[in-house]
Amino acid sequence: MGSMEGGGGRLFFRSETFDTQKFERRRPSDKTVAEPARSLPVHTECDVLVVGGGPAGTAAAVAAARLGADVVLLERYNHLGGLSTGGLVIWIDRMSDWQGRHVIRGFAEELLSRLTRDKITGPEPVEWGSHDPERVAYWGQRNAAFNGTVTHAPTLDPEWLKAESLAMVLEAGVHPIFHAWGASPIMEGRRVAGCLFESKEGRRAILARVTVDATGDGDLYAGAGSAYDTEVDNRDIHGCMNTSWLFGGVDMKAFLRFRAEMPEQFTQFMAQGREALGFFDKPSVSWRDDIAVFMGPRFAGYSALKVEDLSEVEIRSHRLMLEHLAFYRAHAPGFSDAFIMLSGSQLGVRHGRRLAGRGKLTRENWDGAVAPDEIGVSPSLSPKFANVSVPYGAIVPREIDGLLAPGRHLSCDATSHSFMREIPQCWLTGQAAGTAAAIAADRSLAPSEVPIADLRAALKVQGAYLSDVPAMADG
């Protein structure tokens, strides 16, 4: 995590980003082809269809199934967890607030509790909120202390997170379908009635009472005609992309000692790396001392919605992985025996689209006021701000019906997106979406018609952390 800016500035997270001249692109053809109309087979029908098995989609599927809904979960990869697993974002950002209260709970807390101590590491609950300089210094090097405060920000084994995510899905009675790409929504007027998907069996359809778009980039709601925003600030890491990787055979304790005890030499090392490679990044700790994770370098100026941009970022990231290995083996303490362990199967996309919802989370909502339709509470970016009340309207599209949109593509401004895109917040909004979808399907309601009081009551039963709302407005 980069340092945080306060005041009235828009950029709160400052971390090194890299602008680069793009590869020479192939000349696009001006030809078109006609696709004849055809009837598609309906693969299955269900109460709730969740498209995308990342953090938001996994939480949504489990929450809906536990309320008795017949749930199908469509996922294009061979695993669940999205960027938290396939993207190697194995550091889970703050789930406690600046006072040490555990505010992102429910599904998120249950999932992480299934990981044994050899598969997850981080401060113990007694340390959350601590300002002790020694503990802050220790956990600061391990991505779990910020602004002089120790937080609940664990680092974990991605393979075991895949395993436990799948176990929770199957235990809840969800029917997962892997290797299936959600292609476009099925529309009945302005209502989304399911999804067309592509697989080895060709193009097929799934019909659903309620659909959850958990694609991360709003692919379904965009295809359904919902309005959305795409603007980002290229100076902000949240508009950047990269592929992460793991190096094994390292001694991270030795590297951390070098970084802490020899700051001048560390600065020189980083400068030497930038001079040699151009785009250079430092490692972070993992769940083991012999494995390092590299979350960058982060490339600015690319779009998550353009296939040539996605391809170029993959090429650059994988080239840099090899260059980093050679440089670190030659120059970094603790890395002489390093080897490539794994590169992410999923590109590290931080931003694609942001929904135009019936509600919207904005900078003005950082004042501690409780939204009347609150579905969860997020830690704020800095101790200068209160906890942020997340409204149900932020995951409900404005122009279309029959669909909910939890995860990083929810309705918010660009600054609020900097933390609402994180994995804990995706678990939070995903659990709320699945709960609302099950209620809507059971009562034949539009998602926008789900009574807020009933939704909040169901979320509390599932262990979600919610503020007291004196006067709740339904609908």
Side-chain angles (χ1 to χ4, degrees):
M1 176 187 288
S3 62
M4 299 178 182
E5 282 190 7
R10 171 173 168 160
L11 294 180
F12 283 83
F13 284 84
R14 298 305 298 267
S15 186
E16 191 164 24
T17 61
F18 297 94
D19 291 304
T20 182
Q21 184 175 354
K22 292 185 179 181
F23 294 163
E24 183 177 350
R25 296 294 169 90
R26 294 177 62 90
R27 181 178 177 181
S29 174
D30 57 3
K31 296 179 180 179
T32 61
V33 297
E35 183 177 15
R38 53 180 171 150
S39 296
L40 299 178
V42 174
H43 187 82
T44 191
E45 301 179 49
C46 60
D47 295 327
V48 176
L49 169 63
V50 180
V51 183
T58 302
V62 171
R66 285 180 173 176
L67 287 179
D70 176 22
V71 181
V72 173
L73 175 58
L74 201 67
E75 168 54 43
R76 62 172 164 152
Y77 293 103
N78 70 344
H79 63 269
L80 301 176
L83 289 179
S84 66
T85 55
L88 299 181
V89 185
I90 60 175
W91 163 57
I92 307 302
D93 202 359
R94 295 162 297 114
M95 301 173 69
S96 58
D97 66 13
W98 298 107
Q99 288 69 48
R101 291 173 297 193
H102 191 181
V103 294
I104 297 185
R105 308 192 69 166
F107 175 86
E109 181 178 17
E110 181 180 351
L111 174 59
L112 296 187
S113 73
R114 299 170 68 109
L115 299 176
T116 55
R117 293 180 66 87
D118 59 328
K119 302 174 183 69
I120 185 170
T121 185
E124 294 294 333
V126 68
E127 293 190 87
W128 303 344
S130 171
H131 304 295
D132 177 77
E134 181 179 342
R135 304 314 296 160
V136 168
Y138 178 85
W139 288 114
Q141 285 198 319
R142 292 159 177 80
N143 293 334
F146 314 98
N147 290 301
T149 307
V150 178
T151 68
H152 179 23
T155 305
L156 45 79
D157 183 335
E159 288 302 318
W160 276 100
L161 192 62
K162 289 179 186 177
E164 295 300 344
S165 297
L166 179 59
M168 288 183 69
V169 161
L170 296 177
E171 289 165 9
V174 175
H175 178 67
I177 302 175
F178 294 105
H179 304 289
W181 187 302
S184 58
I186 299 169
M187 302 301 297
E188 293 179 351
R190 65 186 295 272
R191 175 181 173 269
V192 177
C195 176
L196 303 179
F197 72 96
E198 297 281 1
S199 74
K200 286 293 187 179
E201 293 183 82
R203 196 169 179 87
R204 301 191 138 211
I206 298 177
L207 300 178
R209 293 176 180 270
V210 180
T211 301
V212 177
D213 182 347
T215 60
D217 295 315
D219 295 338
L220 289 188
Y221 68 64
S226 170
Y228 56 86
D229 296 314
T230 58
E231 96 284 353
V232 292
D233 191 325
N234 284 340
R235 298 170 298 163
D236 192 332
I237 65 171
H238 304 292
C240 297
M241 292 190 291
N242 62 279
T243 297
S244 300
W245 66 79
L246 302 179
F247 284 167
V250 306
D251 182 349
M252 278 302 290
K253 288 184 177 180
F255 183 81
L256 292 178
R257 284 196 301 270
F258 164 62
R259 182 176 172 180
E261 298 172 7
M262 306 177 71
E264 292 185 6
Q265 290 89 334
F266 175 73
T267 299
Q268 293 171 1
F269 165 78
M270 292 298 296
Q272 184 183 1
R274 292 186 194 97
E275 182 178 357
L277 276 62
F279 310 106
F280 192 63
D281 196 28
K282 57 183 176 293
S284 293
V285 298
S286 74
W287 73 102
R288 292 172 54 121
D289 290 330
D290 58 350
I291 298 173
V293 59
F294 285 78
M295 302 299 295
R298 305 171 180 88
F299 294 105
Y302 293 89
S303 171
L305 308 178
K306 295 182 178 180
V307 68
E308 293 287 355
D309 279 10
L310 297 174
S311 300
E312 183 170 322
V313 172
E314 290 280 20
I315 293 168
R316 289 186 180 277
S317 293
H318 283 87
R319 284 178 176 174
L320 282 166
M321 177 179 66
L322 302 181
E323 294 172 0
H324 274 67
L325 179 66
F327 188 88
Y328 269 81
R329 283 175 62 99
H331 302 288
F335 278 77
S336 60
D337 295 322
F339 60 88
I340 295 173
M341 179 177 173
L342 183 67
S343 60
S345 60
Q346 294 181 231
L347 184 65
V349 173
R350 294 169 175 83
H351 182 276
R353 300 181 180 94
R354 300 193 313 280
L355 177 71
R358 289 177 175 262
K360 186 175 184 179
L361 200 162
T362 69
R363 171 74 179 275
E364 286 67 38
N365 301 123
W366 301 8
D367 60 357
V370 178
D373 59 342
E374 181 185 276
I375 54 174
V377 175
S378 171
S380 64
L381 282 176
S382 161
K384 297 172 64 173
F385 302 104
N387 288 342
V388 179
S389 179
V390 182
Y392 178 55
I395 63 173
V396 182
R398 194 171 59 208
E399 294 92 357
I400 60 175
D401 212 342
L403 180 141
L404 289 164
R408 72 169 185 251
H409 56 218
L410 84 170
S411 177
C412 64
D413 62 19
T415 311
S416 300
H417 183 265
S418 63
F419 61 91
M420 286 307 300
R421 69 173 179 85
E422 298 284 359
I423 289 163
Q425 286 77 3
C426 289
W427 282 326
L428 182 161
T429 56
Q431 182 172 13
T435 303
I439 294 172
D442 179 61
R443 303 183 191 180
S444 298
L445 298 172
S448 59
E449 298 171 339
V450 171
I452 298 302
D454 293 352
L455 172 56
R456 285 171 52 85
L459 286 171
K460 285 184 178 180
V461 170
Q462 297 179 39
Y465 181 98
L466 295 170
S467 309
D468 292 331
V469 179
M472 293 180 290
D474 286 345

